Amino acid sequence: MGGCCSHDVTVRGKVESDFDDGEYEYDHENDVFNEPNGALVRFTGSSRFISMYTQQGKKGVNQDSMTVWEDYTGEKDVIFCGVFDGHGPLGHKVSQFIRDNLPSKLSEAIKMSQERAFKYYDAGDADTPSFNDVSHENRHNNMSLASWEGCFLKSFDEMDDHLAQEVNTDSYCSGCTAVTLVKLGDQLIVGNLGDSRAVLCTREGDQLIPVQLTVDLKPDIPSETARIVSCEGRVFAAEEEPDVYRIWMPDDDCPGLAMSRAFGDFCLKDYGLISAPDVFYRKLTRQDEFVVLASDGVWDVLTNAEVINIVASAPKRSIAAKLLVKRAVRAWRYKYPGSKIDDCAVIILFLDEQPALLSNSQPNVSKKNKHRSTKHIHRSKPTRNEDTETVDGKIGAELDEEWKGLGGLARANSITKLPRLARGMSKRK
């Protein structure tokens, strides 16, 4: 995202078919390479458990990017997924910079946390294995939820500091959101920064239920507003977009950022914008089918239930992400023909061995549970509900619809008017 939305262009006419026969097959070699630590990195394509796809919108260069690291941290069956949505003049560069560097920083933080967990091992005890001899499952299982949260917070903060070293007058008002996930065994840890989203599809009997794993971190969430105002930032909606609350500098009506947390955007880092992610945990069950990570270009026009319905209807796993993006584009054209279509990026992580869900038949998605959310999910900090518990071991409250963040469908992430840089740079300069 990044450019202002235009309301003077109407996109009408025939919408192309969702996919053409024979166009999609597994493309294991598409933009795939190995990291020194043994991780298999991909930027596009599909694999046994992954389907991913991104498409440029009508606002200019595609500012969405994404990556999947299989055998993450050098361990088998550990997967990292990340979707990054840039905004501002150089949002595409910021997005790619985060995509290329954040996974490595998080991996380093995880390994350091594992080593600290074993620092009291008695190396002289023949019955006590050394750190290198311990299986990766035991290493991860010895990490508490607080340790996982610490890894995400540390790596995100270091990533923002690293980005600050690259800042110039063009990227001063550019930034990027991130929704990231680490899966190891039956554990799912999600770190979210901004207004992209992760949604789990789980099954109850013959019904598919969407479970929203993240919170859309918008400036009008009460706890987010309080932090911004306490830092002298301002939160209000412009007259032309009464439903879209933005962050503004104390003395200038700029840059008008539509999320409360992001990488970059250093003009606002002294005024309440932060790069600390919300961290969530879920213990997976046999009923959990797949997880969808997507930028807000998808969630702005499709509900959680619609998204899992589309994915579950895909005839092949390999085309599920592209099918979802095509449906989102169609929704933009027909629901909001006067608005420019946003960039869309999707990663789908399938959790089961057999693709039993993926058939030509329509799944039965319960309307009663259409917006069901974070049952069995631990989250790091309360942002929507005052009774939400911390990551130290208690189940978070269900997310309500009040802060769903689906308003403002024809909006940009930031207003194009930029601040007068001579007024003073952020402390991160």
Side-chain angles (χ1 to χ4, degrees):
M1 304 184 72
C4 278
C5 289
S6 171
H7 297 275
D8 57 1
V9 178
T10 301
V11 180
R12 297 187 182 277
K14 183 180 179 181
V15 175
E16 71 274 13
S17 62
D18 293 323
F19 53 87
D20 298 321
D21 291 339
E23 181 180 350
Y24 311 100
E25 293 296 337
Y26 287 110
D27 49 0
H28 298 276
E29 303 303 321
N30 191 2
D31 284 335
V32 177
F33 61 92
N34 288 95
E35 278 287 300
N37 65 3
L40 185 70
V41 180
R42 75 174 63 243
F43 293 153
T44 62
S46 62
S47 65
R48 186 178 180 185
F49 293 103
I50 293 292
S51 178
M52 54 196 302
Y53 186 76
T54 183
Q55 180 170 312
Q56 178 180 335
K58 300 297 183 180
K59 300 179 179 180
V61 63
N62 188 354
Q63 296 191 311
D64 286 1
S65 62
M66 56 187 179
T67 187
V68 171
W69 288 37
E70 302 174 29
D71 298 337
Y72 187 56
T73 68
E75 306 290 354
K76 294 292 184 183
D77 302 324
V78 180
I79 298 177
F80 171 90
C81 302
V83 171
F84 311 99
D85 183 356
H87 53 263
L90 293 180
H92 58 293
K93 292 186 178 294
V94 175
S95 174
Q96 293 166 8
F97 185 82
I98 301 300
R99 176 199 67 187
D100 295 343
N101 292 279
L102 179 63
S104 296
K105 287 191 177 295
L106 179 59
S107 176
E108 292 170 4
I110 292 171
K111 290 178 180 178
M112 289 178 61
S113 181
Q114 292 170 352
E115 291 174 1
R116 284 195 298 268
F118 284 86
K119 69 180 179 180
Y120 296 114
Y121 261 41
D122 183 3
D125 189 343
D127 296 329
T128 303
S130 68
F131 176 77
N132 291 330
D133 293 331
V134 178
S135 70
H136 74 274
E137 290 185 3
N138 288 332
R139 294 181 195 176
H140 292 307
N141 289 338
N142 276 275
M143 289 179 61
S144 66
L145 298 182
S147 295
W148 278 108
E149 179 189 9
C151 291
F152 275 86
L153 291 173
K154 180 178 185 293
S155 57
F156 275 57
D157 184 63
E158 289 180 351
M159 191 70 255
D160 206 43
D161 286 339
H162 190 185
L163 179 62
Q165 299 171 11
E166 308 294 326
V167 75
N168 56 43
T169 56
D170 292 323
S171 58
Y172 187 59
C173 290
S174 298
C176 146
T177 67
V179 57
T180 61
L181 170 155
V182 175
K183 178 188 178 295
L184 46 120
D186 60 355
Q187 298 183 77
L188 206 63
I189 302 94
V190 181
N192 181 51
L193 187 72
D195 58 356
S196 293
R197 190 183 300 174
V199 171
L200 171 77
C201 174
T202 192
R203 180 179 290 275
E204 289 188 2
D206 61 348
Q207 295 180 339
L208 300 182
I209 309 298
V211 181
Q212 186 168 323
L213 300 176
T214 58
V215 174
D216 299 343
L217 294 168
K218 301 281 193 177
D220 55 339
I221 295 175
S223 58
E224 301 291 282
T225 302
R227 184 189 68 247
I228 294 164
V229 172
S230 69
C231 295
E232 300 182 356
R234 296 180 297 157
V235 175
F236 64 88
E239 291 183 3
E240 61 271 21
E241 297 175 309
D243 297 327
V244 183
Y245 285 83
R246 300 176 180 272
I247 306 177
W248 310 86
M249 296 179 71
D251 302 318
D252 285 319
D253 288 345
C254 60
L257 191 65
M259 72 280 302
S260 57
R261 305 190 194 188
F263 289 114
D265 296 302
F266 297 108
C267 61
L268 289 171
K269 281 289 162 62
D270 288 336
Y271 305 115
L273 183 74
I274 60 174
S275 59
D278 234 349
V279 182
F280 303 82
Y281 173 86
R282 181 178 175 97
K283 181 85 167 178
L284 296 172
T285 69
R286 291 178 178 271
Q287 287 69 45
D288 297 332
E289 305 270 358
F290 56 83
V291 180
V292 179
L293 304 179
S295 58
D296 64 342
V298 172
W299 308 112
D300 278 351
V301 292
L302 297 174
T303 66
N304 294 346
E306 288 171 336
V307 165
I308 67 167
N309 191 337
I310 292 167
V311 172
S313 69
K316 295 180 182 179
R317 286 185 170 183
S318 57
I319 69 170
K322 187 164 188 175
L323 177 63
L324 178 55
V325 169
K326 294 297 183 182
R327 294 287 178 85
V329 170
R330 173 186 291 182
W332 273 100
R333 288 174 174 169
Y334 280 91
K335 290 184 177 181
Y336 309 102
S339 300
K340 290 184 178 179
I341 299 170
D342 196 7
D343 303 329
C344 296
V346 170
I347 295 175
I348 302 168
L349 172 63
F350 294 95
L351 304 172
D352 59 329
E353 182 72 22
Q354 298 297 328
L357 265 183
L358 305 183
S359 65
N360 289 316
S361 61
Q362 284 291 96
N364 184 6
V365 178
S366 169
K367 292 184 178 180
K368 178 180 178 181
N369 296 292
K370 184 177 181 180
H371 299 299
R372 180 176 171 176
S373 199
T374 57
K375 183 180 180 182
H376 303 310
I377 297 175
H378 297 265
R379 56 175 303 180
S380 62
K381 297 179 179 64
T383 55
R384 291 188 185 180
N385 303 308
E386 295 303 321
D387 58 345
T388 304
E389 300 291 348
T390 67
V391 76
D392 288 332
K394 297 177 182 168
I395 296 176
E398 289 195 355
L399 302 179
D400 53 36
E401 290 302 302
E402 182 180 5
W403 305 112
K404 201 75 167 182
L406 297 183
L409 299 171
R411 57 106 173 108
N413 274 342
S414 58
I415 301 298
T416 54
K417 177 185 175 184
L418 300 181
R420 295 186 291 276
L421 299 180
R423 177 180 292 270
M425 300 287 281
S426 165
K427 64 183 178 181
R428 289 181 175 267
K429 68 181 179 179

